[in-house]
Amino acid sequence: MATLANYPDYSLYSNAFGFLRQPLVFQPHGCDADVIITGVPFDMATTGRSGSRMGPGAIRQASINLAWEGKRWPWDFSLTKEIKMADCGDLVFDCGDAAQMCERLEAHATSLLAEGKTLLTFGGDHFVTLPLLRAHAKQFGEMALVHFDAHTDTYDMGSQYDHGTMFYHAPNEGLIDPHSSIQIGIRTEHSHKLGYQVVDAATANDWSADQIVDAIKTRVGDRPVYLTFDIDCLDPAYAPGTGTPVCGGLSTDKILKVIRGLQGINLIGMDVVEVAPAYDHAELTSLAAATIATDLLHVWAANRKAK
């Protein structure tokens, strides 16, 4: 006979849940979690279709489909038994105040990193990565960037807050070393003037997942790595719910094989951005984002197990 003792309290008594049905911890400082998950509902830097401010909630909702697995295939361990995670909900800032968002996100990340936490962040548009990089650079110094996207986001035009300029500003601020960084899935106008290695989508689609993994590992070496995943790296067939979809992208199958192959890199921070659920169909994009984030957590956990 089933009793209440068989179930976690939150599964019976609350509609509020975090990513992968993990506890919501609105005061994450000083908690015993290894990884802190934060949503950033910001899309004021968007140049295409707006709506990615709704992304964090959609990713959490889709993650219910993944939370039931004790061990996620093909991993050989249970994520929730290996590491402690806490979802602190969404960053709070005044609506329309992009500067305040930047300040609060950088301060939030800086304080948690100083406690030894690792951060997984859900956008929002891709601009949120810049204040996150600023915080991580204080803790780890100049980093390598592993960047999955349809766009390089290295454009030097645009306003102060523009989701196409972060990886132009980041090396100029000394946050990342472009000569140790790599961009996967690019299929819009780009140049190599800043020194990033670009594996365009046509090449990535022709290469095997193992070839992409080898290119990434060779490029980043043993540097601390920040990994950012713009969901429009995926072809719109797999991720229609995004602000700037571009045909000719990668499949979820290949991307997941690549991510699982990244065990061993010095992964110190990660985000998944640009999910815009208003343009989604049947939660395809949100589910892809939640799955990618879950496998990134497995990579981080596997690395810690190996130490």
Side-chain angles (χ1 to χ4, degrees), residues 110-127:
T110 298
S111 58
L112 289 170
L113 291 168
E115 294 182 7
K117 311 295 189 190
T118 296
L119 305 185
L120 167 62
T121 306
F122 298 142
D125 70 46
H126 212 158
F127 184 79

Side-chain angles (χ1 to χ4, degrees), residues 239-307:
T242 190
T244 50
V246 183
C247 291
L250 280 68
S251 71
T252 48
D253 175 64
K254 178 166 281 189
I255 283 296
L256 291 174
K257 288 174 179 174
V258 170
I259 288 173
R260 292 165 187 159
L262 294 181
Q263 295 174 66
I265 67 169
N266 184 14
L267 182 63
I268 51 85
M270 46 203 153
D271 64 53
V272 181
V273 298
E274 295 283 1
V275 172
Y279 314 109
D280 207 0
H281 174 71
E283 294 187 323
L284 286 176
T285 312
S286 302
L287 180 60
T291 305
I292 289 164
T294 300
D295 272 6
L296 285 172
L297 289 170
H298 279 82
V299 170
W300 188 86
N303 286 350
R304 197 173 76 156
K305 277 169 56 74
K307 289 181 180 179

Side-chain angles (χ1 to χ4, degrees), residues 140-158:
F140 297 100
E142 190 178 58
M143 299 165 287
L145 183 74
V146 175
H147 173 203
F148 294 87
D149 206 321
H151 315 83
T152 61
D153 297 336
T154 56
Y155 308 110
D156 57 4
M157 71 288 196

Side-chain angles (χ1 to χ4, degrees), residues 138-187:
K138 294 175 190 175
Q139 186 73 21
F140 297 100
E142 190 178 58
M143 299 165 287
L145 183 74
V146 175
H147 173 203
F148 294 87
D149 206 321
H151 315 83
T152 61
D153 297 336
T154 56
Y155 308 110
D156 57 4
M157 71 288 196
S159 66
Q160 182 178 0
Y161 306 104
D162 186 317
H163 71 161
T165 61
M166 305 79 61
F167 307 129
Y168 169 78
H169 294 301
N172 289 332
E173 294 182 22
L175 310 178
I176 61 174
D177 174 15
H179 299 282
S180 299
S181 300
I182 187 167
Q183 300 178 308
I184 309 295
I186 308 302
R187 52 195 186 277

Side-chain angles (χ1 to χ4, degrees), residues 46-290:
T46 301
T47 55
R49 304 183 298 189
S50 61
S52 57
R53 69 181 64 187
M54 310 304 291
I59 295 170
R60 290 187 182 99
Q61 183 71 33
S63 75
I64 294 174
N65 295 289
L66 308 174
W68 62 271
E69 286 188 281
K71 292 181 182 178
R72 172 161 172 73
W73 183 89
W75 299 94
D76 63 357
F77 61 89
S78 169
L79 184 65
T80 55
K81 291 181 180 178
E82 190 62 36
I83 63 174
K84 292 183 179 180
M85 298 175 283
D87 188 334
C88 68
D90 288 351
L91 185 76
V92 176
F93 53 92
D94 292 340
C95 294
D97 195 334
Q100 186 189 79
M101 183 283 294
C102 287
E103 292 167 4
R104 290 192 176 181
L105 181 55
E106 183 177 345
H108 167 79
T110 298
S111 58
L112 289 170
L113 291 168
E115 294 182 7
K117 311 295 189 190
T118 296
L119 305 185
L120 167 62
T121 306
F122 298 142
D125 70 46
H126 212 158
F127 184 79
V128 304
T129 302
L130 186 56
L132 288 166
L133 288 174
R134 289 168 177 159
H136 282 78
K138 294 175 190 175
Q139 186 73 21
F140 297 100
E142 190 178 58
M143 299 165 287
L145 183 74
V146 175
H147 173 203
F148 294 87
D149 206 321
H151 315 83
T152 61
D153 297 336
T154 56
Y155 308 110
D156 57 4
M157 71 288 196
S159 66
Q160 182 178 0
Y161 306 104
D162 186 317
H163 71 161
T165 61
M166 305 79 61
F167 307 129
Y168 169 78
H169 294 301
N172 289 332
E173 294 182 22
L175 310 178
I176 61 174
D177 174 15
H179 299 282
S180 299
S181 300
I182 187 167
Q183 300 178 308
I184 309 295
I186 308 302
R187 52 195 186 277
T188 50
E189 185 278 328
H190 62 275
S191 72
H192 299 271
K193 64 183 179 181
L194 292 177
Y196 293 96
Q197 181 179 352
V198 175
V199 180
D200 62 51
T203 301
N205 279 321
D206 287 342
W207 282 2
S208 68
D210 287 342
Q211 286 175 295
I212 299 172
V213 169
D214 288 345
I216 293 171
K217 289 186 172 181
T218 299
R219 185 69 167 178
V220 303
D222 59 0
R223 275 186 174 271
V225 171
Y226 189 94
L227 190 151
T228 182
F229 198 101
D230 186 324
I231 204 67
D232 70 26
C233 180
L234 296 174
D235 189 86
Y238 303 94
T242 190
T244 50
V246 183
C247 291
L250 280 68
S251 71
T252 48
D253 175 64
K254 178 166 281 189
I255 283 296
L256 291 174
K257 288 174 179 174
V258 170
I259 288 173
R260 292 165 187 159
L262 294 181
Q263 295 174 66
I265 67 169
N266 184 14
L267 182 63
I268 51 85
M270 46 203 153
D271 64 53
V272 181
V273 298
E274 295 283 1
V275 172
Y279 314 109
D280 207 0
H281 174 71
E283 294 187 323
L284 286 176
T285 312
S286 302
L287 180 60

